[in-house]
Amino acid sequence: MKIAGEQIITGKGAALHLIQSKKYKTISIAVKLQAPLERETITARALLPYVLQQGTANLPDARALRLKLDDLYGAVLSISGTKKGEKHIITIRLDVANENFLSDRTPLFEKAVDLLREIVFEPKVENDAFSDTIVSREIQTLKQKITALKDDKMSYANMRLMDEMCKEEPYSLHVHGYEEDLDTLNSSKLYDVYKNILKQDKMDIYILGDVEKSQAEKAVSSFMERDTEPYEEWAASVSPAPETEKEVIETQDVQQAKLHLGYRTNIRYSDSDYAALQVFNGLFGGFPSSKLFRNVREKHSLAYYAASRFESHKGLLFVFSGIDPKDYTKAKEIIDAQMKAMQAGEFEDAEVEEVKDLIVSQILETIDNPVGLMETLYQQVIGNKQMPVEEMLDAIRQVTKDDVLQAAAKVQLDTVYLLTNKEAEKHA
């Protein structure tokens, strides 16, 4: 039995991904725009979602747009930017009620897609530029966001680890852009970037819900016929770890130090041992039963938190820990010891089975949510590999201890980043 029956219909300007389901009382529609991560455009692309939510040609301000959403029985709009591997993704998503559950049989789905089309293709424009007033205001909003991220020391340490580990690589680019770029951006420049996005970005449209194929194809026909000059397909670069790990120590006025480590896994979503990497991460630091949690946090009481996660499309793994500034050396030694224990096979078959069950449950919980299911399926587009959910789950269930060991052998420490205070520098 198929968990998520995805039909893919390819057009000249977009690919439609239809996931028919009677499970939900809503229909979720998402437009995803994908382009290479580039320093020249990242800040404008980060700003654009804020601007697009402020109105369209026919709905000239945010209030008019909100009223339109209310007319669609409280449809929910969200526009956001993120990075996956070395690609920047803008997602415009609209969740609307399934009209089959309403007494008023208004064609909500078609009206929702038309609103989405208007937001994507017909934003509010004045004299071949976005509104100066809107752009100026949203530049301030994004500046506040960037400042808030710097003030969140865990996010800041993560960002600085990326800066140092992936220097000269597109993956190091900040997904929220750069404050210094905002001072040079204006409504005309932003509109030029927007026009290039429409011309060059790879577009994927996801429709999840109780919708017929013919109905979906007709509704998105204007997207599918878009005139494009798309970017060539590309995969994220894979850089080797340095022979000697990089160590970066930075001081600020912090009470709790942030010790973040970056590893090269040399395994990506499209690789045959990707499932083994998932299990490796679960054993190492992905769950409360993991080595990092049990040894760094509980046994030695050296961390307020200690966990790991991996980046599927760039082949990276990160360890995050919050420690007492004076405990840097000891905490790093114990984290290193957990990695060595993984590579030496110091874990039991029963632990492998337990983690596999946890990962399968985690995936099933994720895809039970419309947004989670669409994001899981979109991984295939980013990774350029068809992997239905059933195959992904089967691959995880088949992972053995030997498979985990082979994946572990590929993991190499690249960069150690410590954010600490001046008083603790002598302990570092």
Side-chain angles (χ1 to χ4, degrees):
M1 175 183 165
K2 276 193 173 294
I3 295 174
E6 180 185 16
Q7 302 175 65
I8 303 175
I9 301 102
T10 304
K12 183 177 70 171
L16 168 62
H17 304 252
L18 177 61
I19 307 105
Q20 292 173 306
S21 173
K22 296 182 183 293
K23 180 177 179 179
Y24 308 104
K25 292 186 177 181
T26 58
I27 296 171
S28 297
I29 313 151
V31 175
K32 288 185 169 289
L33 295 158
Q34 173 198 137
L37 279 169
E38 294 176 337
R39 182 65 177 81
E40 296 76 18
T41 59
I42 188 65
T43 303
R45 290 180 68 96
L47 178 62
L48 190 61
Y50 292 87
V51 172
L52 291 178
Q53 294 181 74
Q54 299 306 310
T56 69
N58 296 318
L59 303 165
D61 54 40
R63 183 176 181 276
L65 184 52
R66 282 196 302 273
L67 288 173
K68 180 67 174 179
L69 293 168
D70 289 343
D71 287 344
L72 296 175
Y73 286 83
V76 179
L77 171 70
S78 66
I79 309 178
S80 60
T82 188
K83 67 178 180 181
K84 292 181 182 291
E86 292 181 344
K87 298 172 183 178
H88 186 260
I89 318 296
I90 294 173
T91 300
I92 303 134
R93 196 178 77 247
L94 194 58
D95 295 314
V96 66
N98 181 345
E99 62 214 47
N100 294 330
F101 291 96
L102 302 173
S103 55
D104 177 5
R105 298 304 291 269
T106 302
L108 280 181
F109 169 68
E110 285 79 2
K111 288 188 174 185
V113 174
D114 192 54
L115 175 58
L116 208 55
R117 177 200 57 76
E118 194 173 320
I119 291 167
V120 174
F121 294 110
E122 297 175 12
K124 182 179 180 180
V125 174
E126 302 170 351
N127 302 317
D128 204 34
F130 286 115
S131 160
D132 287 334
T133 304
I134 289 173
V135 170
S136 296
R137 185 176 68 235
E138 296 312 315
I139 281 175
Q140 294 308 312
T141 302
L142 183 51
K143 277 186 177 180
Q144 290 168 8
K145 174 78 171 178
I146 292 170
T147 300
L149 286 168
K150 288 177 182 176
D151 292 340
D152 177 343
K153 297 309 176 187
M154 187 175 179
S155 296
Y156 175 80
N158 187 40
M159 180 181 73
R160 289 289 297 119
L161 174 63
M162 299 301 107
D163 289 344
E164 298 295 337
M165 181 177 177
C166 299
K167 201 174 285 185
E168 309 301 325
E169 298 174 54
Y171 189 76
S172 68
L173 293 175
H174 300 176
V175 72
H176 296 290
Y178 297 83
E179 194 168 349
E180 61 266 29
D181 294 355
L182 289 171
D183 296 329
T184 65
L185 257 179
N186 57 40
S187 54
S188 179
K189 288 179 182 177
L190 185 63
Y191 188 59
D192 287 341
V193 171
Y194 159 79
K195 288 188 289 187
N196 282 333
I197 286 171
L198 285 192
K199 194 75 175 173
Q200 295 184 289
D201 273 33
K202 176 177 170 52
M203 180 185 287
D204 290 270
I205 305 162
Y206 285 79
I207 296 175
L208 169 58
D210 188 8
V211 180
E212 293 300 321
K213 181 182 176 185
S214 57
Q215 183 187 14
E217 287 186 283
K218 183 179 178 182
V220 301
S221 59
S222 59
F223 293 87
M224 303 292 274
E225 293 161 8
R226 179 179 65 126
D227 186 24
T228 64
E229 296 172 6
Y231 295 103
E232 291 182 17
E233 285 293 323
W234 74 102
S237 59
V238 177
S239 301
E243 288 186 19
T244 303
E245 69 201 47
K246 290 181 278 188
E247 182 184 61
V248 180
I249 297 175
E250 189 173 340
T251 59
Q252 287 187 10
D253 183 16
V254 294
Q255 297 299 311
Q256 185 190 107
K258 307 297 180 186
L259 173 57
H260 290 198
L261 289 78
Y263 300 80
R264 304 278 178 175
T265 68
N266 301 292
I267 299 170
R268 293 182 295 182
Y269 181 85
S270 56
D271 294 325
S272 59
D273 46 0
Y274 176 70
L277 176 66
Q278 290 176 282
V279 178
F280 166 86
N281 180 65
L283 289 162
F284 178 55
F287 294 106
S289 58
S290 67
K291 287 188 177 296
L292 287 179
F293 192 91
R294 284 189 286 116
N295 290 288
V296 184
R297 186 176 184 274
E298 291 189 335
K299 184 177 178 181
H300 295 280
S301 300
L302 282 173
Y304 302 98
Y305 60 87
S308 67
R309 72 169 178 83
F310 60 96
E311 206 290 331
S312 301
H313 304 287
K314 178 68 176 166
L316 306 176
L317 181 135
F318 310 110
V319 168
F320 309 113
S321 66
I323 63 172
D324 190 301
K326 72 179 188 311
D327 290 332
Y328 166 56
T329 301
K330 192 172 181 184
K332 182 179 177 299
E333 285 173 355
I334 294 174
I335 291 170
D336 286 342
Q338 306 320 303
M339 178 60 75
K340 288 184 172 68
M342 286 298 304
Q343 293 175 329
E346 293 176 17
F347 53 91
E348 303 299 324
D349 289 329
E351 293 177 88
V352 174
E353 295 305 313
E354 179 190 350
V355 164
K356 283 158 57 174
D357 289 343
L358 287 170
I359 295 170
V360 167
S361 296
Q362 194 177 60
I363 292 171
L364 290 173
E365 185 178 342
T366 298
I367 65 174
D368 195 44
N369 175 280
V371 174
L373 177 53
M374 287 191 289
E375 290 300 323
T376 299
L377 295 174
Y378 190 58
Q379 291 271 75
Q380 300 175 66
V381 175
I382 299 295
N384 199 26
K385 180 181 181 180
Q386 288 296 307
M387 191 190 300
V389 176
E390 299 83 4
E391 285 185 22
M392 184 193 307
L393 296 175
D394 285 344
I396 291 161
R397 292 183 180 115
Q398 290 169 20
V399 170
T400 66
K401 181 176 179 178
D402 283 344
D403 295 331
V404 177
L405 276 169
Q406 288 177 39
K410 295 184 177 182
V411 179
Q412 300 167 291
L413 180 59
D414 186 298
T415 302
V416 177
Y417 173 83
L418 176 69
L419 177 64
T420 189
N421 57 37
K422 286 187 170 64
E423 291 74 20
E425 266 189 291
K426 60 179 180 288
H427 297 286

